[in-house]
Amino acid sequence: MAKTTDRGYALKADDKGNVYIGGLQGKVSFLARLTNCLSNKPKLLWVKIVETGWGSAINCLDLDKEPLPDLAAYRPFSSIVMLAVIEHLQNPNFILEQCQRLMNGATLLVITTPTKVGDLVCTRFEIISGNRKALSDYSHVRVYNRYELDSLCKAYGLVLKHYRALHWHHQNQLFIFQKQ
C-alpha cells in the first residue's frame, strides 16, 4: 500500500462478499462498506465521513505498480469505472493491463478524464483565483485527447464503443471501452 497526500481512492474486497471503499477529496475523507457483493443485491451498509484536513496520509493502492485484486474470481464485472484517474498515473499501461485482465467480452471499461481545454481552464482558474496551493498540488501527469487514449487502450485489445465530450466547452470526456 502507498500513501498519498492528494486525492485518491482505494478498494478492498474480502472473501465474505464485503467491499470497502475509501478515499480523500480535498479536506474530507470517507470510508464505505458494501455487503452482499457476491449476490445480485449488494447493499451499502455504512458510510463514515471525516474532516481530515489537507495533506492527510491515506493508505491506498498504487495503481501505477500494485496489481488490482482478482475480484473477477468472485463474480464477473459488468463494468470497471475510472473517474478522473488515468491522467494522474505515471504508468497508465499497468492499470490498463490490469483492467484488461479482469474484463470479459461483456465488461465495459468506463474512463473519464479532462480534455486539454478542461485542464487549461482549470489551471488558469487557479492562477486567476490566486490559489497557489492548488497549483502546487497539481497532479496531472498527462492529459489525453480522444485519439491518444483510444490508441493507448487499443494496445490492450480494448475497443472504443462510445465517446462523448462533457460539460461546458467540453472540459471533460467520457470513454467506454470493451474487450475485443
Side-chain angles (χ1 to χ4, degrees):
M1 296 298 241
K3 288 194 180 234
T4 179
T5 56
D6 193 16
R7 297 166 298 274
Y9 304 94
L11 260 121
K12 180 175 184 348
D14 64 23
D15 58 356
K16 297 176 184 144
N18 297 304
V19 174
Y20 300 88
I21 304 169
L24 175 66
Q25 179 64 46
K27 298 188 281 184
V28 177
S29 62
F30 70 91
L31 181 64
R33 179 179 170 202
L34 298 165
T35 61
N36 299 325
C37 294
L38 299 176
S39 74
N40 289 334
K41 295 184 180 182
K43 189 165 76 174
L44 180 62
L45 190 62
W46 51 260
V47 175
K48 175 81 174 163
I49 298 176
V50 179
E51 179 82 22
T52 54
W54 288 102
S56 300
I58 302 294
N59 290 315
C60 64
L61 194 63
D62 184 343
L63 296 178
D64 278 316
K65 58 186 173 192
E66 293 183 52
L68 295 172
D70 193 9
L71 301 173
Y74 297 107
R75 190 168 106 192
F77 287 102
S78 60
S79 58
I80 299 171
V81 180
M82 289 196 290
L83 303 177
V85 171
I86 200 158
E87 67 273 11
H88 296 274
L89 300 177
Q90 295 286 336
N91 184 7
N93 296 310
F94 183 77
I95 192 65
L96 290 172
E97 182 180 326
Q98 297 295 308
C99 288
Q100 191 267 357
R101 176 179 61 82
L102 295 173
M103 294 171 74
N104 62 34
T107 306
L108 300 177
L109 173 60
V110 179
I111 299 175
T112 66
T113 187
T115 62
K116 294 184 181 197
V117 169
D119 190 65
L120 180 68
V121 168
C122 181
T123 55
R124 295 306 175 255
F125 178 76
E126 297 300 347
I127 290 170
I128 292 168
S129 69
N131 189 353
R132 299 286 179 213
K133 171 76 173 128
L135 286 175
S136 67
D137 287 342
Y138 183 77
S139 60
H140 290 176
V141 174
R142 177 163 181 188
V143 180
Y144 296 90
N145 68 31
R146 175 183 183 167
Y147 306 102
E148 291 167 337
L149 190 57
D150 183 33
S151 176
L152 180 62
C153 289
K154 273 183 185 170
Y156 295 93
L158 303 174
V159 178
L160 183 61
K161 294 294 184 181
H162 180 77
Y163 172 84
R164 182 167 180 196
L166 306 170
H167 301 122
W168 179 73
H169 288 288
H170 302 155
Q171 292 184 28
N172 285 293
Q173 50 195 339
L174 168 73
F175 296 82
I176 300 177
F177 293 96
Q178 203 164 18
K179 191 174 181 177
Q180 271 182 326

